[in-house]
Amino acid sequence: MGLLSKSTEYALRAVLYVASRKDAKYVSIREISDELGVSFHFLTKILQRLTRKGLVVSYRGPGGGVALARPAGRITLMDIVEAVEESDLFTSCILGLAGCGEKKPCPLHGQWARERTGLGKMFRQTTIAKLAGHVVRDKLRLADG
Amino acid sequence: MGLLSKSTEYALRAVLYVASRKDAKYVSIREISDELGVSFHFLTKILQRLTRKGLVVSYRGPGGGVALARPAGRITLMDIVEAVEESDLFTSCILGLAGCGEKKPCPLHGQWARERTGLGKMFRQTTIAKLAGHVVRDKLRLADG
DNA sequence: CTATTTTCAGACATCACAGTCTGAAATTGG
DNA sequence: CCAATTTCAGACTGTGATGTCTGAAAATAG
Ligand code: FES
Ligand code: FES
């Protein structure tokens, strides 16, 4: 099992792609799906979700597409993950028990809570701007190959 | 998405339960499923996998059940996870790209690789004995409620 | 206005994981 | 031997995530 769902993976890659094309006003979903090598229709549904959540704005018709709703420096990985994934990764018990907390911990609670906090920090502190800049400067990939 | 699959969660809980019943020779799957509150048949399939992988030994007939194949101090969480999960969590790209490594990193590689290493250490260094001891001494739960 | 482009919306299909069920094989106790 | 107990094996079903398809709605260009 991967850490993130396919939907979240695609969402992150798509947003990073849009952010790395700072010059463009709107980027069409068709262009994104072609560049990332993922299904157009599936990506459309995912981006619609980001649109409804207010992370990206969209525009229909020729020259339309999607754009970030606010500066990439104010969008974190956690924003995206929370928008598309209904995951309790950062709050739930690693053994799947009901209610994770200090009151009734499972035997793994201590160690998992520490790792989870580290992961949460990474997702909350890393912005799209930082990663997109990395993509542009170092020509990092957002697709296979 | 949780970090572990249901199968892995059940496997860990079952092994911890067996380890925390040091006095017993064999623990029946029925007893385990009752205590953990999970499906008997489903748990059976999971424990059969652990048996085939050589992590537990089983015995049929009255008084039969499963037991750890070696001292709990020499079974790590990673042993269990690798036995039941065909997960690449500790080797694959967090964006799902083909081939994760320094040669062709994705923009998240650096940060994810660090977190992943921490997680891997936790799973490799934590033994069943340590956690089961914790369960017995502090009466920690392995089931809901 | 008309044709084209593009997102929006939702139905439908596919697939892997989770869970259920039935019966066979092994072991024990009487 | 016989009956009860328990694991082993595999077929079957349910469910949610993934992926595909068709058409409507909005915007642009001519
Ligand atoms: S109770 Fe299990 S991780 Fe917190
Ligand atoms: S290439 Fe993406 S995490 Fe290593």
Side-chain angles (χ1 to χ4, degrees):
Chain A
M1 190 178 278
L3 187 72
L4 305 173
S5 66
K6 278 286 172 219
S7 296
T8 307
E9 288 177 2
Y10 291 174
L12 286 173
R13 290 166 62 193
V15 168
L16 286 172
Y17 179 79
V18 171
S20 71
R21 293 224 20 206
K22 245 178 128 65
D23 46 315
K25 241 183 109 142
Y26 288 98
V27 185
S28 79
I29 302 179
R30 178 66 70 181
E31 173 185 341
I32 303 174
S33 71
D34 283 350
E35 289 294 323
L36 299 186
V38 305
S39 152
F40 166 73
H41 289 289
F42 191 32
L43 184 58
T44 293
K45 290 205 304 187
I46 296 167
L47 287 178
Q48 280 170 9
R49 241 170 119 163
L50 291 184
T51 303
R52 282 194 293 272
K53 295 280 185 171
L55 284 171
V56 308
V57 291
S58 61
Y59 212 79
R60 289 195 254 206
V66 298
L68 302 186
R70 52 180 196 261
R74 294 219 306 280
I75 304 180
T76 68
L77 294 182
M78 188 63 89
D79 290 333
I80 317 270
V81 171
E82 285 176 341
V84 300
E85 194 136 352
E86 70 301 332
S87 162
D88 309 312
L89 183 62
F90 300 99
T91 57
S92 68
C93 171
I94 195 173
L95 292 183
L97 304 186
C100 168
E102 306 294 339
K103 294 170 308 186
K104 285 181 152 193
C106 76
L108 261 163
H109 180 79
Q111 350 220 356
W112 169 236
R114 178 168 39 237
E115 295 297 329
R116 191 171 57 180
T117 301
L119 267 174
K121 263 190 192 136
M122 163 187 145
F123 276 90
R124 258 183 281 274
Q125 296 177 349
T126 306
T127 67
I128 297 301
K130 175 177 175 180
L131 296 176
H134 209 195
V135 168
V136 172
R137 278 196 307 279
D138 302 339
K139 302 205 194 315
L140 297 186
R141 63 179 177 147
L142 289 172
D144 290 350
Chain B
M1 190 179 281
L3 187 71
L4 305 173
S5 66
K6 278 286 171 217
S7 296
T8 306
E9 289 176 3
Y10 291 174
L12 286 172
R13 290 167 61 192
V15 168
L16 286 173
Y17 178 78
V18 171
S20 73
R21 293 223 21 205
K22 246 178 126 66
D23 46 316
K25 241 184 110 142
Y26 287 99
V27 184
S28 78
I29 302 179
R30 179 65 70 182
E31 172 185 341
I32 303 174
S33 71
D34 283 351
E35 288 296 322
L36 299 187
V38 306
S39 153
F40 165 73
H41 288 289
F42 190 31
L43 185 59
T44 293
K45 290 206 304 187
I46 297 167
L47 287 178
Q48 279 171 8
R49 238 168 123 161
L50 291 183
T51 303
R52 282 194 294 271
K53 295 280 185 170
L55 284 170
V56 308
V57 291
S58 62
Y59 212 80
R60 289 195 255 205
V66 299
L68 302 186
R70 52 180 196 261
R74 295 219 305 279
I75 304 179
T76 68
L77 294 183
M78 188 64 89
D79 291 332
I80 317 269
V81 171
E82 285 176 340
V84 301
E85 194 136 352
E86 70 302 328
S87 162
D88 309 313
L89 182 62
F90 300 99
T91 57
S92 68
C93 172
I94 195 172
L95 293 183
L97 304 187
C100 168
E102 306 295 339
K103 294 171 308 187
K104 285 181 153 193
C106 76
L108 261 163
H109 179 80
Q111 351 220 355
W112 169 235
R114 177 168 38 237
E115 295 297 329
R116 190 171 57 180
T117 300
L119 267 174
K121 262 189 193 137
M122 162 187 146
F123 276 89
R124 258 182 282 274
Q125 295 177 350
T126 306
T127 68
I128 298 300
K130 175 177 174 179
L131 295 176
H134 209 194
V135 168
V136 172
R137 278 195 308 279
D138 302 339
K139 300 203 196 315
L140 297 186
R141 64 178 176 147
L142 290 171
D144 290 350

